[in-house]
Amino acid sequence: MRKPLVHFLASRDNNFNLIRFIAAFGVLFSHSFSLAMGSSDTEPFKLLFGMSFGQIAVDIFFISSGFLIANSLFVKKNLLNFLWARFLRIYPGLFVALLFCVFFVGVYFTTYPLEEYLMDTQTYIFLAKNAVLFWGEEARLPGVFESLPWAGVVNGSLWTLPFEVRAYCLLVFCSIVIHRVIVWSKHTLNDRLLYLLIPLLGMLIYISDYFYTFLPISYFSSEDFRLYSLFFIGTACYIFKDSLVLSKHIFYAAVVSLLISTIHIDLFFIVYNVVIFYVIFYIAYIPKGWIRKFNQYGDYSYGIYIYAWPIQQSVIAFIPGISPLELCLYSLLITALLSYFSWHCIEKKALMFKGRVLFKSKI
């Protein structure tokens, strides 16, 4: 079967919920090694492939997000309603998770006297900065988890959310600029190629920096290029949705190429960055049958993502010296309960407001 991506967009029946759930588990799995051992270098995927399960999971999130968010923006054609929908998806669940971190986890585990903890400005910097996200995350609460192997970090998973929020804004900005450029050029330029140029240049810089390390403050700069480029790879796939064909032969070739590339970390890095987007979209839309039943249970990936780290740190505080696999199991059970609550009591209810037409103006 060879069908273009656009063929599948009319229906919401796909495997993205399952893909995001597995990705969220991947982040929890990776962090179990980092947090239990105090180093990310012990994670099995990183030892084998040069990148952790958590990094692969974040890549999956950003490619999927770029695709789905582009669909939301260009279908709605209404900037304010688009931003309102994004707010409802991210912030209500996040606000509750932050309150949980500050007034439950922080209050219980802080080594400060309770009054001093509640009066410390760092407590409310954590709350306020993470509630906004756009200017980055704040990982520390006063006196919390300071003696653990990964010391002092209350919720390290939040570091990707500012990138996500800024990527939404960057997509809006680029769509407006590209539209103006096309109008200015009197349609002599191809807007589809401009959307493709953004991730191609970004990935070229990211991959080049991987081998030659030329960016200033290279780690943080390369993360910028990596995450925004992955997001815009997803966007480009949406823009070329009528041309991007999902074929089992291409999918099998991509998977075989990945397997062969594992003979060398650098080779895997290159092949992985070339084919990962195709593997994601094929799995998202082609496998059907029993696998689609996962959709009826809800979308627990975000809840797992925002609760896993503080739960893992709490488990380590209760059970010093716990092994990574034990930590993964115990924290998954607790985090799954919290993500169930987050989806059914917070996120799902918030999303009910998304369908309301609040603003009439178009982009």
Side-chain angles (χ1 to χ4, degrees):
M1 181 179 68
R2 292 172 58 89
K3 291 183 178 179
L5 199 50
V6 67
H7 173 82
F8 303 96
L9 293 183
S11 172
R12 290 178 176 267
D13 185 27
N14 54 59
N15 298 314
F16 274 116
N17 275 356
L18 178 59
I19 289 171
R20 287 193 297 258
F21 180 86
I22 294 172
F25 169 75
V27 173
L28 185 152
F29 174 84
S30 280
H31 288 167
S32 294
F33 288 84
S34 302
L35 298 180
M37 308 301 292
S39 170
S40 60
D41 294 333
T42 59
E43 203 263 14
F45 279 75
K46 190 167 185 178
L47 293 173
L48 289 172
F49 309 122
M51 58 180 67
S52 68
F53 195 172
Q55 180 181 337
I56 295 171
V58 169
D59 293 351
I60 291 171
F61 279 129
F62 271 78
I63 293 173
S64 303
S65 181
F67 179 78
L68 298 172
I69 298 307
N71 182 48
S72 176
L73 176 64
F74 295 123
V75 168
K76 281 182 171 57
K77 297 182 179 179
N78 184 304
L79 178 57
L80 294 178
N81 280 334
F82 167 77
L83 294 175
W84 174 240
R86 295 306 97 220
F87 175 86
L88 291 174
R89 186 63 191 98
I90 290 180
Y91 285 95
L94 176 65
F95 291 155
V96 176
L98 292 176
L99 292 174
F100 172 79
C101 286
V102 172
F103 297 109
F104 185 80
V105 174
V107 165
Y108 186 87
F109 286 104
T110 184
T111 56
Y112 287 29
L114 180 57
E115 183 178 355
E116 185 178 343
Y117 169 81
L118 293 175
M119 294 297 291
D120 196 303
T121 56
Q122 178 61 26
T123 301
Y124 301 98
I125 290 173
F126 177 94
L127 196 59
K129 191 172 182 180
N130 290 327
V132 174
L133 287 180
F134 194 84
W135 287 279
E137 91 289 355
E138 178 56 54
R140 298 177 180 272
L141 283 169
V144 180
F145 300 145
E146 290 182 343
S147 62
L148 299 188
W150 202 283
V153 180
V154 176
N155 198 337
S157 296
L158 299 183
W159 75 272
T160 65
L161 295 185
F163 284 95
E164 180 90 4
V165 171
R166 292 193 291 260
Y168 300 162
C169 298
L170 190 57
L171 173 59
V172 171
F173 174 77
C174 288
S175 67
I176 294 172
V177 169
I178 290 174
H179 175 73
R180 297 300 181 191
V181 168
I182 297 301
V183 171
W184 174 79
S185 69
K186 298 181 180 179
H187 301 276
T188 59
L189 296 175
N190 189 322
D191 61 331
R192 286 157 57 96
L193 293 180
L194 292 177
Y195 279 106
L196 183 60
L197 188 62
I198 297 171
L200 286 179
L201 288 175
M203 288 305 293
L204 178 62
I205 294 171
Y206 168 60
I207 292 173
S208 298
D209 183 69
Y210 173 85
F211 289 103
Y212 301 108
T213 314
F214 60 86
L215 290 173
I217 321 177
S218 187
Y219 172 77
F220 297 103
S221 298
S222 65
E223 288 300 287
D224 279 312
F225 281 102
R226 169 192 159 215
L227 296 180
Y228 295 136
S229 297
L230 291 169
F231 183 89
F232 276 94
I233 285 173
T235 298
C237 289
Y238 176 80
I239 298 298
F240 284 86
K241 59 187 179 295
D242 55 344
S243 304
L244 181 57
V245 174
L246 297 182
S247 161
K248 67 178 182 181
H249 299 296
I250 300 176
F251 172 73
Y252 293 150
V255 172
V256 170
S257 298
L258 275 174
L259 292 174
I260 294 174
S261 70
T262 58
I263 62 176
H264 194 282
I265 287 176
D266 290 343
L267 179 61
F268 178 82
F269 176 82
I270 295 173
V271 174
Y272 164 85
N273 280 290
V274 170
V275 306
I276 185 61
F277 78 93
Y278 196 91
V279 173
I280 292 170
F281 290 120
Y282 187 91
I283 295 174
Y285 287 113
I286 299 303
K288 296 182 180 179
W290 61 269
I291 198 172
R292 296 287 172 93
K293 293 182 180 180
F294 188 85
N295 288 327
Q296 68 190 17
Y297 301 118
D299 185 358
Y300 304 119
S301 59
Y302 187 53
I304 292 174
Y305 192 81
I306 58 179
Y307 282 101
W309 185 294
I311 292 301
Q312 288 173 294
Q313 290 283 64
S314 299
V315 171
I316 294 170
F318 276 120
I319 314 175
I322 188 171
S323 72
L325 292 180
E326 288 176 321
L327 175 61
C328 182
L329 175 62
Y330 297 159
S331 58
L332 178 61
L333 293 174
I334 300 170
T335 303
L337 292 175
L338 289 172
S339 65
Y340 181 90
F341 162 81
S342 180
W343 171 249
H344 288 284
C345 299
I346 310 298
E347 298 167 54
K348 187 177 179 180
K349 292 184 182 298
L351 290 174
M352 292 178 182
F353 293 92
K354 187 170 68 170
R356 298 185 181 182
V357 179
L358 300 179
F359 311 101
K360 300 294 185 181
S361 61
K362 295 185 177 181
I363 297 176

